[in-house]
Amino acid sequence: MNKKYSTFESFEFYGEFFADPNNQKVKFPGKVNYSTQNGLQLNYNISCPDVSDRCERIFGILDSGQKCTLVTSFDFSTGTHRLGSIHIRNGIHGFYYFLIGDYVFEEDEFEYCHFTFNGMQEFFHPQGRMSNLKFSPQPIQEIRGDDWRINVEHNAKFQYAGLNAANFLHSDNEEVLKELNDLFAEFHIKHPKEYLNIRNELKFHFNYKKEHQQTPSDFISDTIKISSLFSILLNKPVFPDELVLYKNNGKSIHVVNSLCLQSRTVELSKSEISHLLLPINFNKIDLPTALTKWFEVYEYFKVIAVSHQHETNFRTLHTAYSDIILYGTNLEAINSELGGDSSVKYTKPIEYYGSEQLISILDEIFSPYPNKHGLGGNISNLRNELAHVGRPKPMMGKLSIEDYMDIGQVFKLVVVSHLFQKLEIPMSLIHEYQERYLPYRDENS
């Protein structure tokens, strides 16, 4: 299967669909549409009375000639009904995921999967320097957990070089080109059965395998979990992009998951990043340790993972309030882990993890409002004013929406820093990450 189906592209297929692959006479025409924002949708038109209203998956043959499987709880009774000489059911029905390449039943399991994620290239190696990277047919890194294994692998495309170096190499010096051509001619005389190929593409992908075979839904869940870590490391929305499942006989199917992302999230996910400017990249951390620890703590940090994956970089006053309450609650939990008492439930995590620049931003925001309990007292008062209806709100009336946004961002970075320590990322890198993503405050404002 050379065709790739990216999460961040749009496509459509026409086909014939049926609930039972063994009875394809009971079928209906339809069209599958996919876009990152609208997700997967089946546009159907059912005139056959034998097609059931409800089923858990639908099978089909696409206009490309491929078999496919659509998975969700389908209910065709909710669409439009036209009653005449023929009862017609039509409409648009969303579904969870799309399996292209075969009929796949609920109990079917797969051996392993290949997947990429947006931003993966720059995390591992600068795109502009790929020509300096040697292709490796073997995994460049193997990461193992108790019941899983991830190999980081190269995926390369090659093209036959031919016999004339001037066809693919250029120099203004004709003597240089002649010398190269002579070398190639000499090579082919010595090795007449050997063919040289030019690498015209090199990418990275993950080869992910569990100890036991898994269903497609399990693989989708795991790949989202893995990509969520990279969403935090790269500080941008990251999702599995191209996902292919493999059986032990080598047969493969493509998987398209229905994400339904906001347009701002899509724009952020597609935004360019630089390997050299990333505070955390492949060369700076122990990736096997980070991924192993991530699987152990994922459920505890699931909310922070989702917030990164679905980031929009747009805040209303309501969402700014919510960030402070959510991450403020996280700070209290972190303080408890650090052994702090209630009097330092906000300041201990901030002082423990925060760089000088991070702490100075909070001091700058709250310095106009002296409090006998210092920074912790101001944060506690603000959090209580936000969370409790009917309480006097002297602090809330003094802060601007920019202040609320900056406080929420700083709190979020402290929570992420706590996560990074659990992933055994050095504090120097944690501070570098903080200072890269701290809110900018104009000293003259």
Side-chain angles (χ1 to χ4, degrees):
M1 258 185 225
N2 294 321
K3 173 67 177 175
K4 300 296 184 183
Y5 299 95
S6 170
T7 297
F8 297 96
E9 295 177 0
S10 299
F11 55 81
E12 63 179 27
F13 287 108
Y14 290 92
E16 292 183 331
F17 301 94
F18 32 86
D20 183 0
N22 297 315
N23 183 16
Q24 296 183 20
K25 291 182 179 179
V26 181
K27 61 187 177 183
F28 61 92
K31 182 174 72 168
V32 172
N33 292 298
Y34 174 77
S35 70
T36 313
Q37 290 159 268
N38 295 325
L40 287 161
Q41 296 178 324
L42 173 65
N43 194 324
Y44 63 91
N45 188 70
I46 303 173
S47 61
C48 178
D50 296 327
V51 174
S52 174
D53 275 342
R54 293 177 176 85
C55 58
E56 293 302 314
R57 63 186 57 210
I58 290 174
F59 307 92
I61 299 175
L62 304 173
D63 56 352
S64 62
Q66 296 168 295
K67 296 177 181 179
C68 71
T69 308
L70 290 63
V71 181
T72 195
S73 294
F74 286 99
D75 184 356
F76 296 121
S77 67
T78 59
T80 301
H81 292 251
R82 290 183 171 84
L83 300 175
S85 57
I86 299 176
H87 178 198
I88 302 293
R89 289 169 286 170
N90 58 22
I92 297 176
H93 202 301
F95 58 103
Y96 297 145
Y97 56 91
F98 188 33
L99 308 173
I100 305 171
D102 205 355
Y103 305 142
V104 181
F105 297 87
E106 184 177 2
E107 65 275 11
D108 286 350
E109 295 182 326
F110 291 79
E111 188 79 11
Y112 63 97
C113 75
H114 284 178
F115 72 97
T116 62
F117 60 81
N118 53 304
M120 185 173 186
Q121 191 67 64
E122 283 295 319
F123 177 81
F124 283 98
H125 192 82
Q127 180 70 44
R129 301 184 182 182
M130 291 298 290
S131 59
N132 296 330
L133 183 63
K134 182 180 179 181
F135 168 73
S136 172
Q138 303 301 321
I140 62 173
Q141 188 164 63
E142 183 177 78
I143 307 166
R144 286 192 175 272
D146 292 336
D147 64 346
W148 56 270
R149 181 268 295 155
I150 294 175
N151 286 339
V152 184
E153 299 178 344
H154 283 156
N155 183 9
K157 291 183 179 180
F158 297 91
Q159 181 178 346
Y160 175 54
L163 302 178
N164 191 338
N167 291 341
F168 54 89
L169 296 174
H170 175 73
S171 173
D172 291 332
N173 190 323
E174 292 293 334
E175 291 184 8
V176 170
L177 284 178
K178 183 179 183 305
E179 186 175 345
L180 284 171
N181 281 329
D182 291 342
L183 288 172
F184 269 74
E186 183 180 346
F187 171 84
H188 283 287
I189 291 172
K190 290 183 178 179
H191 308 280
K193 295 183 179 181
E194 296 294 330
Y195 294 91
L196 293 178
N197 296 299
I198 301 172
R199 188 184 79 204
N200 53 25
E201 182 178 275
L202 180 63
K203 294 182 178 180
F204 294 87
H205 70 248
F206 280 155
N207 180 320
Y208 172 63
K209 182 178 182 179
K210 294 293 287 283
E211 187 176 283
H212 304 288
Q213 295 189 55
Q214 291 202 127
T215 64
S217 61
D218 290 331
F219 271 114
I220 291 171
S221 177
D222 285 349
T223 56
I224 289 177
K225 185 184 298 185
I226 295 166
S227 62
S228 70
L229 171 61
F230 289 94
S231 189
I232 301 173
L233 293 174
L234 301 178
N235 195 44
K236 61 177 284 185
V238 171
F239 293 92
D241 190 2
E242 298 171 359
L243 173 58
V244 185
L245 303 183
Y246 293 85
K247 287 186 174 290
N248 52 16
N249 61 5
K251 189 169 186 177
S252 62
I253 63 166
H254 289 283
V255 181
V256 180
N257 188 27
S258 191
L259 293 178
C260 299
L261 302 178
Q262 295 187 45
S263 59
R264 288 178 178 272
T265 299
V266 175
E267 290 174 8
L268 283 175
S269 69
K270 291 182 176 181
S271 61
E272 293 185 1
I273 55 176
S274 168
H275 178 87
L276 301 177
L277 297 179
L278 285 173
I280 296 177
N281 60 40
F282 178 67
N283 295 316
K284 293 182 178 181
I285 64 169
D286 182 345
L287 187 57
T289 297
L291 269 170
T292 301
K293 297 292 184 182
W294 175 242
F295 278 111
E296 296 173 3
V297 302
Y298 172 76
E299 291 300 326
Y300 183 81
F301 289 95
K302 190 173 182 178
V303 171
I304 196 79
V306 171
S307 70
H308 277 81
Q309 283 191 301
H310 293 270
E311 181 60 73
T312 63
N313 267 11
F314 179 78
R315 292 290 184 276
T316 63
L317 188 59
H318 169 73
T319 55
Y321 286 174
S322 300
D323 283 350
I324 294 173
I325 294 173
L326 172 63
Y327 298 124
T329 302
N330 290 156
L331 293 184
E332 294 182 55
I334 294 170
N335 175 63
S336 179
E337 281 196 47
L338 296 176
D341 58 41
S342 60
S343 65
V344 291
K345 59 184 177 181
Y346 300 117
T347 53
K348 187 173 182 67
I350 292 169
E351 292 169 355
Y352 184 87
Y353 289 110
S355 64
E356 290 184 11
Q357 187 178 348
L358 182 148
I359 295 171
S360 70
I361 287 176
L362 289 178
D363 287 340
E364 179 185 341
I365 292 172
F366 288 108
S367 60
Y369 321 110
N371 184 294
K372 66 179 181 179
H373 298 295
L375 176 62
N378 275 325
I379 293 175
S380 182
N381 289 339
L382 176 61
R383 194 268 180 199
N384 290 333
E385 289 177 21
L386 290 170
H388 299 289
V389 177
R391 175 173 294 196
K393 305 184 184 300
M395 179 66 72
M396 286 179 62
K398 297 173 182 177
L399 299 177
S400 67
I401 186 171
E402 288 78 13
D403 290 332
Y404 287 115
M405 291 166 59
D406 290 353
I407 294 167
Q409 177 66 6
V410 169
F411 285 5
K412 182 178 181 180
L413 284 169
V414 174
V415 176
V416 169
S417 300
H418 180 61
L419 164 63
F420 284 171
Q421 187 182 64
K422 290 185 176 294
L423 304 185
E424 299 187 13
I425 294 175
M427 190 64 79
S428 58
L429 275 184
I430 292 174
H431 284 176
E432 188 177 339
Y433 182 95
Q434 288 177 11
E435 292 174 10
R436 173 67 176 82
Y437 299 119
L438 278 170
Y440 170 77
R441 293 186 68 85
D442 188 347
E443 297 179 357
N444 297 319
S445 62

